[in-house]
Amino acid sequence: MRVAFIASEYPPHVYGGLGTHVEALTAALAALGVRVDLFVPEREVYQAPPAGVTLRPVPVSRLEGSDGNAGFWISFSAEVITHIERLDIAFDVVHCHDWLTALAGAGLTARSGVPLLFSVHLPQTEHPHADLEMLGLRAATTGIVYSHAMRQELLDRDGVLPRLVVIPNGVDSTRFRPLPARDDDAEIVLFVGRLVAQKGVDVLLRSFAAALVRLPQARLVIAGDGDQALYLRRLARYLGVMSRVEFTGWQTGEELVRSYGRAAVVAMPSRYEPFGLVALEAMSCGRPVVAVRTGGLPEIIDDGRTGILVPAGDHLRFAQALVRLLADDRARAKAGLAAREEALRHQWGDVAIITAGQYQEALARPRPVLGTDPGTADLMAALSPQSRAIAEQVLGRSRK
């Protein structure tokens, strides 16, 4: 089987869980014997992929307009289609990831009749991103999500979606592994992720300030970057905790594994989390997770056994959960062992087997026909004139 895999990220250009997912899943599919051609935007340098994965960077020019960065990804989608047609390769299926590549998937399945699998990593709510996401879902033979909470959210939004399959993310348990603890690591709280409003790091800082009253030697490590970085530093100073907080920037590879290894507890204060790949990585490293009861997190974390779940936005309850684990070595160690055991059930090899099975099923299913439905009309209305012209050209054959 040969798959045209279309994504916005691949190492070292990884800005969240999507890039981690793409790297791990393509490698695991290749290990099964699936031939993967991975189409990504052209960047200065990419990590060399493993055998069985052919990386195909696609040059793309940025479009300026009222649709912001959507113009860039619409242009990328059009260039991917042109690139694939020039290659003259017969693909069995097309697999696109998130709204950024939705137009490429819709256009390719319209031209070739090849089944489209469309993965939603983070459900969108704003135009035109949400319209592009819905376009990808309606053009797809199969939609893939990573938690039952995500599936229900999308079904609540629109009842005429394709078959939606839940395939939870995986983790490389040989890479993300328990490391020996050090005495000076006993009270480290770790956050890993983008520094954006969705991730709730402002709530974590308030929780940490409250926890310091009970545990004044505790430390908070924030591993990530994003548009709230400056604001969060200022908030830490305002709360009087900056001397106990370390902002490390993005971490990957063994550096990230070492950070998990040094942490006593990993914190996920997200206002919304469709799955929570960081939670799975932390659990694989034998670390309990304190998280908000939102999105897909309750499907990964067993409250009271592998971590603690608290209500969204309640920084005092979050602080209490942190103190509870930081102050009790035995309870923390027990939760860490249970977390590792649970993580071992989520391996990328298993995810690849299920995904390849969905490829086979898609080949046997009838192809959806994307018409001039309200979703398409809304998409066109939300785009700048230049982006709209490209989108209409890409989708033209699908609306005959």
Side-chain angles (χ1 to χ4, degrees):
M1 180 177 291
R2 192 163 191 176
V3 180
F5 216 87
I6 308 173
S8 57
E9 300 178 18
Y10 192 76
H13 305 286
V14 174
Y15 309 104
L18 189 153
T20 301
H21 174 100
V22 168
E23 176 191 13
L25 181 57
T26 53
L29 286 168
L32 292 177
V34 176
R35 296 180 65 186
V36 179
D37 290 73
L38 175 55
F39 297 88
V40 291
E42 188 177 71
R43 310 284 192 195
E44 287 186 4
V45 62
Y46 277 107
Q47 172 183 298
V53 178
T54 302
L55 194 63
R56 298 189 182 276
V58 177
V60 56
S61 58
R62 177 176 293 277
L63 288 177
E64 301 297 336
S66 59
D67 45 15
N69 68 340
F72 174 86
W73 294 109
I74 288 170
S75 182
F76 169 68
S77 293
E79 293 295 339
V80 166
I81 292 173
T82 301
H83 199 81
I84 288 177
E85 288 177 343
R86 287 174 181 167
L87 288 174
D88 195 26
I89 295 173
F91 290 105
D92 296 292
V93 298
V94 176
H95 191 168
C96 288
H97 293 263
D98 247 4
W99 68 268
L100 309 102
T101 64
L103 189 64
L108 285 167
T109 193
R111 284 161 166 72
S112 64
V114 170
L116 168 66
L117 288 89
F118 182 67
S119 290
V120 177
H121 291 257
L122 177 64
Q124 300 295 302
T125 57
E126 301 293 331
H127 297 294
H129 301 172
D131 299 292
L132 284 163
E133 176 181 271
M134 195 57 62
L135 182 75
L137 284 168
R138 288 179 173 168
T141 306
T142 303
I144 297 176
V145 293
Y146 305 107
S147 67
H148 293 281
M150 287 180 68
R151 183 177 187 274
Q152 192 57 54
E153 179 181 350
L154 291 171
L155 289 176
D156 288 345
R157 185 186 306 171
D158 194 314
V160 292
L161 293 178
R163 179 168 171 265
L164 283 176
V165 178
V166 178
I167 307 178
N169 274 307
V171 66
D172 182 348
S173 60
T174 60
R175 176 182 177 188
F176 291 97
R177 63 203 183 279
L179 298 176
R182 302 186 321 193
D183 291 341
D184 61 343
D185 297 340
E187 295 183 358
I188 291 181
V189 177
L190 174 67
F191 169 86
V192 176
R194 292 174 293 125
L195 304 187
V196 296
Q198 174 209 335
K199 296 298 184 178
V201 186
D202 56 327
V203 177
L204 175 58
L205 284 168
R206 291 183 172 89
S207 299
F208 181 68
L212 281 176
V213 176
R214 289 282 306 277
L215 297 170
Q217 299 307 310
R219 289 180 288 160
L220 173 61
V221 176
I222 297 176
D225 203 354
D227 58 22
Q228 284 203 329
L230 180 58
Y231 159 69
L232 294 170
R233 288 175 182 271
R234 288 175 173 171
L235 179 60
R237 293 190 186 96
Y238 172 77
L239 294 170
V241 299
M242 191 63 185
S243 64
R244 308 302 300 170
V245 178
E246 179 184 0
F247 289 84
T248 69
W250 284 113
Q251 292 186 343
T252 58
E254 281 300 305
E255 182 184 27
L256 178 57
V257 174
R258 286 193 296 272
S259 287
Y260 281 128
R262 293 187 62 201
V265 177
V266 174
M268 294 196 68
S270 304
R271 290 181 169 86
Y272 172 74
E273 198 67 59
F275 177 80
L277 191 56
V278 166
L280 203 52
E281 292 175 351
M283 290 164 61
S284 187
C285 291
R287 297 298 179 259
V289 181
V290 173
V292 172
R293 191 184 298 276
T294 184
L297 288 172
E299 298 174 34
I300 310 168
I301 301 164
D302 187 353
D303 187 23
R305 191 177 74 90
T306 64
I308 299 176
L309 295 171
V310 301
D314 192 336
H315 77 280
L316 292 179
R317 290 279 295 275
F318 204 99
Q320 289 172 351
L322 291 175
V323 170
R324 177 177 158 189
L325 285 173
L326 290 173
D328 190 334
D329 294 348
R330 292 182 62 184
R332 191 171 67 247
K334 183 179 179 181
L337 289 172
R340 172 69 177 179
E341 180 182 337
E342 179 62 31
L344 290 175
R345 301 179 184 178
H346 299 267
Q347 299 298 298
W348 281 115
D350 297 329
V351 176
I353 290 171
I354 297 169
T355 303
Q358 291 301 320
Y359 293 164
Q360 294 286 0
E361 285 195 30
L363 287 167
R365 295 178 68 84
R367 313 286 186 269
V369 177
L370 185 67
T372 53
D373 51 55
T376 306
D378 289 344
L379 165 68
M380 297 305 170
L383 297 177
S384 67
Q386 191 175 10
S387 293
R388 188 183 310 130
I390 295 174
E392 288 177 344
Q393 181 181 7
V394 168
L395 294 175
R397 299 185 193 181
S398 67
R399 300 208 310 256
K400 287 182 178 179

